[in-house]
Amino acid sequence: MCSQDRRGRRVKRWWAVVAYVIVPGIDGSDGEHWQTLWERQWGASAVRIAPASWSAPELDDWVGAVQGAYEEASRRDSRVVLVAHSLGCWAAAEWLGRETYGQVGGAFLVAPADPQGSAFPRQAASTFVGVSALPLPCPALVVGSADDPYCAPEVAEGFAARWDARWHLVGAYGHINSASGLGLWREGRELLDSLTPREPSR
């Protein structure tokens, strides 16, 4: 798309045509979570998964919910990016490995929980315990925290390597959730933008 600058010169504007699938962790993301704040900003371009088992996650239910959200999102924009947090990272990764899908622009995987870690909710999320990280079929970025109680940074970095994803350590932000006090988490948006570079409109 071209428009004019203040001097009347024609300039090319750059836009990303993207729809987002929001994949929160157990119990969903509350109103102060960066996922929720981003979703509000994106409006109709964002679709949150809606599994039946938010509090006692069933892997197949969550993977199916990702599929449903993807189908809805893909009707809105030409390219879909998954924005996942915590347990949602595994649901997103499992869906990417199992399902036949269209064009996925990328997977933004933040603070993946360690299914073998001592803090993992094994009883509540028993069907997630056996998941394993395998190469993902789309560009992916894993973001971890230096003091995440649910996943040591070296473990998260190992997941990134096995997912064939880029790895970024943001510092000491706990589980990178609402308790981290990140608000709109501008650093996260910059990282997401680096995963989904803008393309010129024609």
Side-chain angles (χ1 to χ4, degrees):
M1 175 181 293
C2 291
S3 60
Q4 293 184 342
D5 65 11
R6 292 181 180 178
R7 296 183 179 180
R9 295 174 300 188
R10 290 176 65 82
V11 295
K12 181 176 287 187
R13 302 297 186 190
W14 294 72
W15 307 94
V17 181
V18 178
Y20 299 95
V21 170
I22 309 295
V23 192
I26 192 168
D27 286 327
S29 297
D30 63 28
E32 300 303 315
H33 197 289
W34 56 268
Q35 277 185 316
T36 301
L37 299 178
W38 291 4
E39 182 181 0
R40 290 173 187 162
Q41 287 191 329
W42 288 328
S45 293
V47 182
R48 180 178 293 229
I49 68 168
S53 57
W54 271 125
S55 297
E58 292 288 340
L59 182 58
D60 288 343
D61 176 38
W62 281 45
V63 169
V66 176
Q67 176 68 28
Y70 168 79
E71 290 173 355
E72 183 177 349
S74 63
R75 291 194 292 268
R76 301 182 182 187
D77 284 295
S78 62
R79 187 169 53 148
V80 176
V81 171
L82 307 180
V83 178
H85 177 256
S86 191
L87 199 66
C89 296
W90 292 105
E94 284 289 306
W95 176 75
L96 284 166
R98 290 187 191 185
E99 301 296 332
T100 301
Y101 55 88
Q103 186 176 7
V104 176
F108 186 63
L109 308 174
V110 178
D114 178 6
Q116 304 305 316
S118 60
F120 190 80
R122 287 174 169 269
Q123 185 171 358
S126 60
T127 55
F128 283 77
V129 172
V131 295
S132 58
L134 300 172
L136 298 176
C138 66
L141 171 60
V142 178
V143 180
S145 167
D147 61 349
D148 189 340
Y150 294 99
C151 189
E154 61 271 16
V155 174
E157 185 175 10
F159 293 152
R162 294 197 292 279
W163 276 324
D164 197 20
R166 286 167 46 205
W167 162 248
H168 186 88
L169 185 66
V170 293
Y173 291 121
H175 197 41
I176 316 182
N177 55 12
S178 56
S180 304
L182 296 170
L184 285 168
W185 193 30
R186 300 190 185 282
E187 181 182 3
R189 285 295 296 269
E190 292 173 359
L191 289 168
L192 176 63
D193 289 344
S194 75
L195 179 65
T196 57
R198 295 180 179 182
E199 298 175 352
S201 295
R202 301 191 183 278

